Amino acid sequence: MALIAGRERTPGFKLLLAILIGLALAIPLFSVWALVYDRQSQSEEATGSITAGWGGPQSITGPVLVIPYRASATETVIQNGQSVTRSTEVVRELSLAAEVAEVSTDIRPERRKRSIYEAVVYDSTVRGRARFAFPADLDRTGVDPATMDLSRAELRFGLSDPRGLGGNPQVSVGGRPLRLQPGGGSSGGRGFFAWIDAGGLRNAPLAVDYSYAFRGNSSIALAPEAGETRWTVRSSWPHPSFGGEFLPDRRTISDSGFSASYRVGNLALGRSLVSTAERGRTSGAERVAPPARGPAAETIDVTGPGAPLQTAAISLIQPVDPYSQVDRATKYGFLFIGFTFLALLMFDVVAGVRVSPVEYLLMGAALVLFFVLLLAFAEILGFTPAYLLASAAVVGLNTAYSAAILGSWRRAWVIGGLLAGLYAVLYVLLSLEAFSLLIGSLLLFAALAGVMYATRRLDWSAVRRTEAD
């Protein structure tokens, strides 16, 4: 045996080298994350094209009774260099919300696909009854009943995306059908309205019955405005998400669908049943904005012109979003790289099996490729089958490669078992989001304890010498 043939790197230097290679792999990991974001954006665009023309996420308001009245307004003008104040008569609007509104909504969902993309659309039918009456303290509004033009009153219904409105809405007062007009009122807006002679309101409450159908997608929201609003919703969709400012008092969810009932009073809304505004200013029934995607709807207006309305919102969510799942999985990429590199390092510094930096890099690249495969398969097969297929491919590849570089199938099975265990743990982390931090922390603690035990007698700064023939 000859004496010294050469010097190997110290264990400490090998550790530093493995860390640097792992950090270099952050670049492709970030690229994978950017790819997930890009594919998700494409999915949202495709979903928008699927639902185009059908009707967007819908918010409904009303009915609200709007009565024009005359009022005096003063203005100051400059005439002949002098300030002159004069009084003019203007027309304003008094908005009267119902004392009680009972609303029933049936939602009939449907999945629509284009290529690999899918969207949830629905047909909905709304039936309701509302009772209007002047409050006893009407004089507190400063509106003289004698100035009201009850014969020109408007009954307004708001709908955020009128494109989805069905062909034959029906509104009747005291059993007499009304002729409906487009728009949220005579001054414009989104929805429909009817002219009504509300002269009988001086003596008795006004009962309004209505029904209409509309189409939408993703979510539906109701902005309660009455003194007491009772909203009942039924659907065959088994995955609802309840959001907005009001949650249901009772709800039932099963594989065959869901039902929910709401009860909201105007004290919870923080607004009076009566409000006034300049003619032409958007009222609550007209300022209907579409709900945002997701559980919570975008707020629309209530307490006066410009203030946001509170809503009860229901989203028809997909139970598993592959893009959010892949995005979360990608964030654990360093966990896979770190544990795999740690196993290779232990074989190198403890068992004496030399592992080159190129071999670290190739195995790390295979681990990064897992997330690309996961994304590609998930768009077609769904997340769980894609996860099984991608993880099996990467475990098999790295196990076979480890057998070559470690010179032993028994050592390679250690690497393969480690990766299989990591993929199993990651799936559990993705499924149990509430406990992911706890499980991840315990896993890292166990790994650190194992490394500390295995290297407790290792001299990290020692140089091992190799002998040659």
Short mmCIF file of all heavy atoms in Angstrom, two decimals, residues 344 347 353-356 358-360 362-363 398-408 411-412 415:
data_model
loop_
_atom_site.label_atom_id
_atom_site.label_comp_id
_atom_site.label_asym_id
_atom_site.label_seq_id
_atom_site.Cartn_x
_atom_site.Cartn_y
_atom_site.Cartn_z
N LEU A 344 -27.47 12.35 2.15
CA LEU A 344 -26.26 12.16 1.35
C LEU A 344 -25.01 12.57 2.13
O LEU A 344 -23.96 11.91 2.06
CB LEU A 344 -26.36 12.96 0.05
CG LEU A 344 -27.41 12.49 -0.97
CD1 LEU A 344 -27.49 13.47 -2.14
CD2 LEU A 344 -27.12 11.09 -1.47
N PHE A 347 -24.02 9.88 4.60
CA PHE A 347 -23.30 8.78 3.94
C PHE A 347 -21.86 9.20 3.61
O PHE A 347 -20.94 8.38 3.66
CB PHE A 347 -24.03 8.37 2.65
CG PHE A 347 -25.22 7.50 2.89
CD1 PHE A 347 -26.48 7.89 2.46
CD2 PHE A 347 -25.10 6.28 3.54
CE1 PHE A 347 -27.59 7.09 2.66
CE2 PHE A 347 -26.21 5.47 3.75
CZ PHE A 347 -27.46 5.87 3.31
N VAL A 353 -18.71 7.24 2.06
CA VAL A 353 -19.05 7.12 0.64
C VAL A 353 -18.97 8.50 0.02
O VAL A 353 -19.74 9.40 0.38
CB VAL A 353 -20.45 6.52 0.44
CG1 VAL A 353 -20.77 6.41 -1.04
CG2 VAL A 353 -20.55 5.17 1.12
N ARG A 354 -18.08 8.68 -0.91
CA ARG A 354 -17.85 10.01 -1.47
C ARG A 354 -19.00 10.41 -2.40
O ARG A 354 -19.38 9.65 -3.31
CB ARG A 354 -16.53 10.05 -2.22
CG ARG A 354 -16.17 11.44 -2.72
CD ARG A 354 -14.76 11.47 -3.26
NE ARG A 354 -14.41 12.80 -3.68
CZ ARG A 354 -13.21 13.15 -4.12
NH1 ARG A 354 -12.24 12.23 -4.17
NH2 ARG A 354 -12.94 14.38 -4.49
N VAL A 355 -19.54 11.61 -2.19
CA VAL A 355 -20.61 12.16 -3.03
C VAL A 355 -20.12 13.48 -3.58
O VAL A 355 -19.76 14.39 -2.83
CB VAL A 355 -21.91 12.36 -2.22
CG1 VAL A 355 -23.02 12.89 -3.14
CG2 VAL A 355 -22.35 11.06 -1.56
N SER A 356 -20.12 13.62 -4.89
CA SER A 356 -19.60 14.84 -5.52
C SER A 356 -20.67 15.92 -5.57
O SER A 356 -21.88 15.63 -5.50
CB SER A 356 -19.11 14.53 -6.93
OG SER A 356 -20.22 14.38 -7.81
N VAL A 358 -21.71 17.55 -8.11
CA VAL A 358 -22.59 17.35 -9.27
C VAL A 358 -23.72 16.38 -8.92
O VAL A 358 -24.87 16.55 -9.36
CB VAL A 358 -21.77 16.82 -10.47
CG1 VAL A 358 -22.70 16.49 -11.64
CG2 VAL A 358 -20.74 17.85 -10.89
N GLU A 359 -23.42 15.38 -8.12
CA GLU A 359 -24.45 14.42 -7.73
C GLU A 359 -25.49 15.06 -6.82
O GLU A 359 -26.69 14.77 -6.91
CB GLU A 359 -23.78 13.20 -7.08
CG GLU A 359 -22.97 12.38 -8.10
CD GLU A 359 -21.96 11.46 -7.44
OE1 GLU A 359 -21.71 11.62 -6.22
OE2 GLU A 359 -21.42 10.59 -8.13
N TYR A 360 -25.03 15.93 -5.91
CA TYR A 360 -25.98 16.72 -5.12
C TYR A 360 -26.90 17.52 -6.05
O TYR A 360 -28.12 17.56 -5.86
CB TYR A 360 -25.23 17.70 -4.21
CG TYR A 360 -24.71 17.12 -2.92
CD1 TYR A 360 -23.37 16.82 -2.76
CD2 TYR A 360 -25.57 16.91 -1.84
CE1 TYR A 360 -22.87 16.31 -1.57
CE2 TYR A 360 -25.09 16.40 -0.64
CZ TYR A 360 -23.75 16.10 -0.51
OH TYR A 360 -23.28 15.59 0.67
N LEU A 362 -27.70 17.14 -9.26
CA LEU A 362 -28.63 16.36 -10.09
C LEU A 362 -29.81 15.84 -9.27
O LEU A 362 -30.96 15.87 -9.72
CB LEU A 362 -27.89 15.20 -10.75
CG LEU A 362 -26.89 15.60 -11.86
CD1 LEU A 362 -26.15 14.37 -12.36
CD2 LEU A 362 -27.61 16.30 -13.00
N MET A 363 -29.54 15.36 -8.05
CA MET A 363 -30.65 14.89 -7.22
C MET A 363 -31.55 16.05 -6.80
O MET A 363 -32.78 15.91 -6.72
CB MET A 363 -30.11 14.14 -6.00
CG MET A 363 -29.45 12.81 -6.36
SD MET A 363 -29.10 11.78 -4.92
CE MET A 363 -30.75 11.37 -4.37
N ASN A 398 -34.65 9.05 -8.11
CA ASN A 398 -33.58 9.32 -7.16
C ASN A 398 -33.08 8.06 -6.47
O ASN A 398 -31.91 7.96 -6.10
CB ASN A 398 -34.04 10.35 -6.12
CG ASN A 398 -33.81 11.78 -6.59
OD1 ASN A 398 -33.05 12.01 -7.53
ND2 ASN A 398 -34.44 12.72 -5.93
N THR A 399 -33.96 7.09 -6.27
CA THR A 399 -33.52 5.83 -5.66
C THR A 399 -32.55 5.10 -6.59
O THR A 399 -31.49 4.61 -6.17
CB THR A 399 -34.73 4.93 -5.34
OG1 THR A 399 -35.60 5.61 -4.44
CG2 THR A 399 -34.28 3.63 -4.70
N ALA A 400 -32.90 5.01 -7.88
CA ALA A 400 -32.02 4.34 -8.84
C ALA A 400 -30.69 5.07 -8.98
O ALA A 400 -29.62 4.44 -9.05
CB ALA A 400 -32.72 4.24 -10.19
N TYR A 401 -30.74 6.40 -8.98
CA TYR A 401 -29.49 7.17 -9.11
C TYR A 401 -28.64 7.02 -7.84
O TYR A 401 -27.41 6.96 -7.91
CB TYR A 401 -29.82 8.63 -9.37
CG TYR A 401 -28.61 9.49 -9.66
CD1 TYR A 401 -27.85 9.28 -10.81
CD2 TYR A 401 -28.23 10.50 -8.80
CE1 TYR A 401 -26.74 10.07 -11.08
CE2 TYR A 401 -27.13 11.30 -9.06
CZ TYR A 401 -26.38 11.07 -10.21
OH TYR A 401 -25.28 11.85 -10.47
N SER A 402 -29.30 6.97 -6.68
CA SER A 402 -28.55 6.81 -5.43
C SER A 402 -27.83 5.47 -5.39
O SER A 402 -26.72 5.36 -4.84
CB SER A 402 -29.51 6.91 -4.23
OG SER A 402 -30.14 8.16 -4.19
N ALA A 403 -28.43 4.43 -5.95
CA ALA A 403 -27.77 3.11 -5.98
C ALA A 403 -26.46 3.19 -6.74
O ALA A 403 -25.47 2.52 -6.39
CB ALA A 403 -28.70 2.08 -6.60
N ALA A 404 -26.41 4.01 -7.78
CA ALA A 404 -25.18 4.14 -8.58
C ALA A 404 -24.12 4.96 -7.85
O ALA A 404 -22.95 4.57 -7.79
CB ALA A 404 -25.52 4.76 -9.93
N ILE A 405 -24.52 6.09 -7.26
CA ILE A 405 -23.51 6.97 -6.66
C ILE A 405 -23.08 6.50 -5.27
O ILE A 405 -21.97 6.80 -4.83
CB ILE A 405 -24.01 8.42 -6.59
CG1 ILE A 405 -25.21 8.56 -5.63
CG2 ILE A 405 -24.38 8.94 -7.97
CD1 ILE A 405 -25.66 9.99 -5.43
N LEU A 406 -23.94 5.76 -4.57
CA LEU A 406 -23.59 5.26 -3.24
C LEU A 406 -23.02 3.84 -3.30
O LEU A 406 -22.56 3.32 -2.28
CB LEU A 406 -24.81 5.30 -2.31
CG LEU A 406 -25.43 6.68 -2.06
CD1 LEU A 406 -26.65 6.56 -1.16
CD2 LEU A 406 -24.41 7.63 -1.44
N GLY A 407 -23.10 3.21 -4.46
CA GLY A 407 -22.52 1.89 -4.63
C GLY A 407 -23.24 0.78 -3.90
O GLY A 407 -22.66 -0.29 -3.67
N SER A 408 -24.50 0.98 -3.53
CA SER A 408 -25.23 -0.04 -2.78
C SER A 408 -26.73 0.22 -2.90
O SER A 408 -27.19 1.35 -2.70
CB SER A 408 -24.82 -0.01 -1.31
OG SER A 408 -25.71 -0.79 -0.53
N ARG A 411 -28.17 1.18 0.59
CA ARG A 411 -28.10 2.62 0.89
C ARG A 411 -29.12 3.40 0.05
O ARG A 411 -29.71 4.37 0.52
CB ARG A 411 -26.70 3.12 0.61
CG ARG A 411 -25.65 2.57 1.57
CD ARG A 411 -24.27 2.83 1.05
NE ARG A 411 -23.25 2.32 1.97
CZ ARG A 411 -21.97 2.18 1.65
NH1 ARG A 411 -21.55 2.52 0.42
NH2 ARG A 411 -21.10 1.71 2.53
N ALA A 412 -29.30 2.97 -1.20
CA ALA A 412 -30.27 3.66 -2.06
C ALA A 412 -31.69 3.54 -1.52
O ALA A 412 -32.48 4.48 -1.60
CB ALA A 412 -30.20 3.09 -3.49
N ILE A 415 -32.35 6.24 0.94
CA ILE A 415 -32.73 7.50 0.28
C ILE A 415 -34.17 7.42 -0.22
O ILE A 415 -34.98 8.33 -0.03
CB ILE A 415 -31.77 7.81 -0.88
CG1 ILE A 415 -30.33 7.98 -0.36
CG2 ILE A 415 -32.22 9.05 -1.63
CD1 ILE A 415 -30.14 9.17 0.53
#
